[in-house]
Structures are given as C-alpha cells and as structure tokens.
Amino acid sequence: QQQVKQSPQSLIVQKGGISIINCAYENTAFDYFPWYQQFPGKGPALLIAIRPDVSEKKEGRFTISFNKSAKQFSLHIMDSQPGDSATYFCAASYQGGSEKLVFGKGTKLTVNP
Amino acid sequence: DVKVTQSSRYLVKRTGEKVFLECVQDMDHENMFWYRQDPGLGLRLIYFSYDVKMKEKGDIPEGYSVSREKKERFSLILESASTNQTSMYLCASSFFGAVNTEAFFGQGTRLTVV
C-alpha cells in the first residue's frame, strides 16, 4: 500500500519557469510533511517542510502548499534554475518527527538552460 | 558539520555471500534508519532503530537484518545476498521525538550482487 503518491515521475522545465510537484497521502495521522532534494551521487537532504496547521510555507524560491481537506500537498519552485535539477521526494510522518518517514517515489526534475 | 558516513560507496558481492553495510553518525542521534532506493520505487524503509539494541522492521525487511551495538553505529546485514538485492542503500539518522526534526542521510552504498 503506497501511503504517499507523488507525481509526476519526471518533469522538464525551462530556466525561469515554475516547477510543480504534487503529492497525496492517505493516512490522516500524518502531521509532518517534508520535501527532500537529492543530487546525483548524494544522499537526500531536507529542503523544506510543513505541518498541517498552516496552508503554505515559503523559503526563498521554494513553496509548499498544503490542502488538509484534500490530503494533498505540493512543492512549487519559482524561477527554476539548472542548479535545481535533482530528484525531489515528498514524505510524510506522524508523531511530529522523522520516525518512519514514508516517501513518495520521487520526481526527477530537469531544468534546461 | 553534521555527518552520516557509510563505509563503502560501491560494493560488488557474489550471490550467497553475507554482506555487511556499515553506517556511523556523529550527531548523537537516537534514531537510525536503513532505506533502499530503486528507480521508480523511491525510498523504502528496511529497518530502523530508536535506541541501542532496539530495532523495528520497516516495509521490506525480508532478507535483511540489522545490528546496533553502539549509539553511533548501525549495520545492515544481508544474510545471503541475492541478485534482487542489487540496489542503492541509504543510511539516515535523526533525533528521537523532536518536533520538525530532520533526517540526515549518508551518501549511499551502491551494492551489486552478481
């Protein structure tokens, strides 16, 4: 049973464009929703995270939008840059921490110059 | 600078061998995790440990075991390696029970079983 569904599997955008990655979850007990960024040859690293008591969180060019009623959340990358090319994973967990993080299957983002 | 270190970047092992993957963290984290990463399947949890000598199965524990004798070290053991265990293995660590805590990942071990 896949608890976090992520789409699209791959995404190509032009430099300066907006990249949007979507995730949906099933378990209403989830209370922590991080996004991880992974560059080739590296382990994933935390990019940005949100808790369900807010609908949006912005850090620089990266924004998480959260819709609790729809059980969906998304990552928006504004003014996408070639350096943003990476694989992005959404995730969810409960108990407020990273115990048993459940990951989506990942989105490979390519930003063309 | 926080660090999770996996002992090998690349490993090639033969079918049936017993394989040890080692992970060490220097952040005094209680939680440690082993994930497996495969194309199109994302990161799948194999085992995690929230304390020394404590462990819990993740989503895909079959064919694996773990050992945590010291807080900073978490080992993944493939009892009898098989070709379907060829994969990227990622170790991670985090604080236990902290709100909004971050999981820190190692760089991964790419294991090939021939």
Side-chain angles (χ1 to χ4, degrees):
Chain A
Q1 179 185 5
Q2 185 184 355
Q3 296 192 60
V4 179
K5 294 184 179 180
Q6 183 172 348
S7 62
Q9 188 171 357
S10 63
L11 180 62
I12 300 174
V13 301
Q14 294 299 120
K15 178 182 176 181
I18 301 174
S19 303
I20 302 174
I21 304 171
N22 299 300
C23 284
Y25 63 96
E26 299 167 1
N27 189 343
T28 55
F30 287 144
D31 61 0
Y32 177 65
F33 302 89
W35 285 88
Y36 280 78
Q37 180 187 54
Q38 183 181 31
F39 293 107
K42 302 287 187 182
L46 179 66
L47 179 64
I48 187 173
I50 197 169
R51 293 181 61 80
D53 52 348
V54 297
S55 60
E56 186 176 282
K57 183 174 181 179
K58 184 176 181 179
E59 290 184 1
R61 296 183 294 107
F62 299 90
T63 300
I64 300 178
S65 297
F66 186 83
N67 186 329
K68 188 174 181 179
S69 61
K71 294 188 286 185
Q72 295 176 347
F73 58 110
S74 60
L75 177 69
H76 296 236
I77 306 174
M78 309 300 289
D79 187 26
S80 299
Q81 299 296 312
D84 297 330
S85 297
T87 299
Y88 293 82
F89 294 96
C90 63
S93 73
Y94 48 88
Q95 300 176 342
S98 64
E99 287 90 352
K100 297 185 181 180
L101 270 173
V102 178
F103 285 89
K105 293 188 176 182
T107 297
K108 184 176 181 180
L109 172 65
T110 302
V111 181
N112 289 328
Chain B
D1 193 19
V2 297
K3 189 170 286 187
V4 177
T5 303
Q6 295 183 230
S7 56
S8 304
R9 291 295 304 274
Y10 301 94
L11 276 179
V12 180
K13 296 293 182 180
R14 294 193 180 278
T15 300
E17 276 193 76
K18 190 169 186 176
V19 181
F20 294 86
L21 303 183
E22 307 287 344
C23 176
V24 176
Q25 52 95 3
D26 64 0
M27 295 164 281
D28 201 33
H29 285 163
E30 296 86 1
N31 295 335
M32 295 190 75
F33 309 84
W34 276 106
Y35 287 90
R36 171 175 171 162
Q37 182 175 12
D38 299 288
L41 297 179
L43 282 73
R44 294 179 292 167
L45 181 64
I46 304 172
Y47 268 97
F48 87 101
S49 169
Y50 52 90
D51 199 355
V52 175
K53 296 190 186 294
M54 305 302 289
K55 62 184 179 184
E56 286 195 20
K57 293 180 180 179
D59 299 318
I60 52 165
E62 296 78 20
Y64 304 95
S65 63
V66 291
S67 173
R68 192 164 180 203
E69 297 296 322
K70 293 184 177 181
K71 188 176 184 179
E72 67 271 18
R73 187 179 298 271
F74 193 34
S75 302
L76 179 69
I77 304 159
L78 284 67
E79 298 291 343
S80 178
S82 63
T83 55
N84 63 15
Q85 292 179 310
T86 292
S87 185
M88 171 69 81
Y89 291 88
L90 289 162
C91 176
S93 70
S94 70
F95 286 115
F96 175 79
V99 176
N100 298 341
T101 191
E102 176 179 354
F104 293 86
F105 284 83
Q107 290 197 323
T109 296
R110 184 164 294 281
L111 172 67
T112 302
V113 182
V114 298

